[in-house]
Amino acid sequence: MAQTILVVDDDPVQRRLLEAAISRSGMQVVTAPGGQPALDLINGPRGEQITLMLLDLVMPDMGGLEVLGKLRPANPELPVIVLTAKGGIDSAVEAMRAGASDFLVKPASPERIAISIRNQLKIGTLSGEVKQLKKKQDNKLTFDDLVASSPEMKQVFRLGARAAQSDIPVLIEGESGAGKELVARAIQGTSSRSGRPFVTVNCGAIPENLIESILFGHEKGSFTGANDKHLGKFQEADGGTLFLDEIGELRLDMQVKLLRALQEGEVDPVGSKRPVKVNVRIIAATNRDLGSMVGEGAFREDLYYRLNVFPLTVPALRNRAGDIAPLSRHFIERFAAEENKQVGGLTPQASQLLERFNWPGNVRQLENTIFRAVVLCDGAALDVCDFPQIAAAMGVETVSRQNTSVQTGGTQAGPGQPPMSPYGLNVTDSAGNIRKLEEMESDIIRMAIARYNGHMSEVARRLGIGRSTLYRKLKEFGLEGDVVADAGPEENDPILKAG
């Protein structure tokens, strides 16, 4: 899904021209005829979809500065570009002090507006990534910071928030790459131990002869090569959380010592004369069935019940298809900003392809797939041809982007047939049901306006309807604030007029 830009202007012709100019850049547009309708949109159910606001400074119902004053307390991170004919230095300074991210003077070319929008979205994405990394480094990551919208993951978040209310041991089960460590970090960040140490131990990657030393530490001279005293992972995590990843790979003899450390709350460093008390919250994770391993004698039963006090299962990505789209958008925004690419989202065909794929590598595989596609993409949105390995695995034929004939069903236009249009219309919704006719009609009108650069006479002629019918439908579908008269010659001007 493309990024959504909110255009706020009291002039309907100006709104229409802005919408057409921004749509050509591969972004979705919603419009508001004034300041209060814009605030209602931001604070409504569609508000979280809006990634940037293009705001007129002078409007009759509520000026742009007043809108900024009411917007910033609840939405301090939303980029706002002020576009106005009142272009003095004092106006620019006043707007920037009020919270505007950029200031453009009418008339502004569509290219200049598109550049400003891309720059602000890139800055916003990178700033968000920096904040996320800082929260992760400070061990303050919460469930609100994780990208998920499926009911299955929402249930995991609810259970994780409950587990965070106490120091109860948690066992997180799930396939590799599903996000078990992020869930563990969110449990810590939501608990009273937020900001304390979060120490990760990959039990399957520790050399066998160093397991005890790495977990529990050792004293100087306790064995050959022990030239200094070493604090083990338990002591490093004192006061915080110890995350035991791939716990099913731990040797049986070390499982006995781990069980004692969990029960007694103390560890015995190698070569030490007395045990050391530790205050550690244990979260373990595994991609194996520990219950079956207990039955086979490969995992201690007493340790299993000690760890499995509060079990959590992170579902595989194929079992929560509702998360594929938001995760894809998140990765596209991040990698596009990092790689300085002008990729704004996925085409409907590419989105359907990703949602139908099995994803054996789960979220980690999706992340790497999006990264590769963004780096190699030369278009404004990722298409089926940008995912050749996924398409090949699903038996889907692809054609290069230059031919604009990317297929999602393995068929291409035969000889004598017209070439396929690059404007794709999604006939079904995410659940596979046919969409409502009025929704598809609204999409067709949007595409026509973008295709013919906002020339409404041409749009009406190509759609085979009268101009009055077109303006009525604009109002009916919320594509226009009100029915407007013919824009006249100004409508054909590629430079946005001063208003």
Side-chain angles (χ1 to χ4, degrees), residues 231-309:
L231 296 179
K233 297 298 183 181
F234 270 85
Q235 294 183 63
E236 287 181 23
D238 191 25
T241 300
L242 181 63
F243 178 59
L244 301 173
D245 197 12
E246 305 302 347
I247 187 67
E249 307 296 331
L250 196 62
R251 279 184 359 213
L252 282 171
D253 59 328
M254 291 309 305
Q255 292 179 23
V256 178
K257 297 186 177 183
L258 176 61
L259 177 62
R260 183 183 182 281
L262 297 181
Q263 290 177 335
E264 304 298 330
E266 60 184 27
V267 295
D268 287 312
V270 178
S272 177
K273 298 180 179 179
R274 59 182 64 87
V276 178
K277 284 286 184 182
V278 289
N279 175 20
V280 174
R281 199 263 177 82
I282 297 294
I283 300 179
T286 180
N287 61 357
R288 305 176 66 180
D289 186 349
L290 293 187
S292 299
M293 292 180 65
V294 169
E296 298 167 357
F299 198 85
R300 290 186 61 91
E301 185 176 13
D302 46 5
L303 178 59
Y304 173 66
Y305 290 121
R306 187 69 179 82
L307 294 173
N308 195 35
V309 181

Side-chain angles (χ1 to χ4, degrees), residues 85-331:
K86 187 180 178 182
I89 295 179
D90 293 342
S91 299
V93 171
E94 195 174 5
M96 300 301 280
R97 284 178 176 173
S101 306
D102 199 359
F103 187 93
L104 301 179
V105 180
K106 298 178 183 178
S109 67
E111 292 77 14
R112 177 67 182 89
I113 294 174
I115 290 172
S116 180
I117 290 175
R118 285 197 296 268
N119 288 342
Q120 294 306 318
L121 290 176
K122 179 179 178 180
I123 291 172
T125 300
L126 293 177
S127 298
E129 284 298 316
V130 170
K131 290 181 180 179
Q132 289 286 84
L133 290 173
K134 190 174 188 309
K135 292 185 74 172
K136 185 175 180 179
Q137 182 180 6
D138 295 340
N139 301 316
K140 294 182 179 180
L141 203 69
T142 67
F143 290 106
D144 292 335
D145 300 313
L146 305 187
V147 180
S149 59
S150 65
E152 294 83 1
M153 283 304 291
K154 294 297 184 183
Q155 176 65 12
V156 172
F157 290 177
R158 283 192 290 268
L159 292 174
R162 288 189 177 185
Q165 296 173 6
S166 68
D167 285 341
I168 186 171
V170 178
L171 177 62
I172 305 176
E173 298 176 302
E175 296 181 4
S176 294
K180 298 188 293 295
E181 182 175 345
L182 282 178
V183 172
R185 287 185 176 275
I187 292 175
Q188 147 116 351
T190 310
S191 72
S192 59
R193 294 176 182 259
S194 176
R196 305 284 183 84
F198 183 93
V199 179
T200 300
V201 179
N202 189 334
C203 299
I206 306 177
E208 289 190 5
N209 58 333
L210 294 177
I211 292 179
E212 187 173 5
S213 172
I214 289 175
L215 286 178
F216 308 124
H218 64 254
E219 296 293 329
K220 181 179 180 180
S222 56
F223 55 86
T224 303
N227 299 322
D228 295 295
K229 180 179 179 179
H230 170 71
L231 296 179
K233 297 298 183 181
F234 270 85
Q235 294 183 63
E236 287 181 23
D238 191 25
T241 300
L242 181 63
F243 178 59
L244 301 173
D245 197 12
E246 305 302 347
I247 187 67
E249 307 296 331
L250 196 62
R251 279 184 359 213
L252 282 171
D253 59 328
M254 291 309 305
Q255 292 179 23
V256 178
K257 297 186 177 183
L258 176 61
L259 177 62
R260 183 183 182 281
L262 297 181
Q263 290 177 335
E264 304 298 330
E266 60 184 27
V267 295
D268 287 312
V270 178
S272 177
K273 298 180 179 179
R274 59 182 64 87
V276 178
K277 284 286 184 182
V278 289
N279 175 20
V280 174
R281 199 263 177 82
I282 297 294
I283 300 179
T286 180
N287 61 357
R288 305 176 66 180
D289 186 349
L290 293 187
S292 299
M293 292 180 65
V294 169
E296 298 167 357
F299 198 85
R300 290 186 61 91
E301 185 176 13
D302 46 5
L303 178 59
Y304 173 66
Y305 290 121
R306 187 69 179 82
L307 294 173
N308 195 35
V309 181
F310 195 105
L312 270 179
T313 301
V314 180
L317 186 58
R318 60 181 171 274
N319 296 328
R320 47 183 172 111
D323 288 338
I324 294 177
L327 283 169
S328 298
R329 289 196 298 270
H330 171 73
F331 292 140

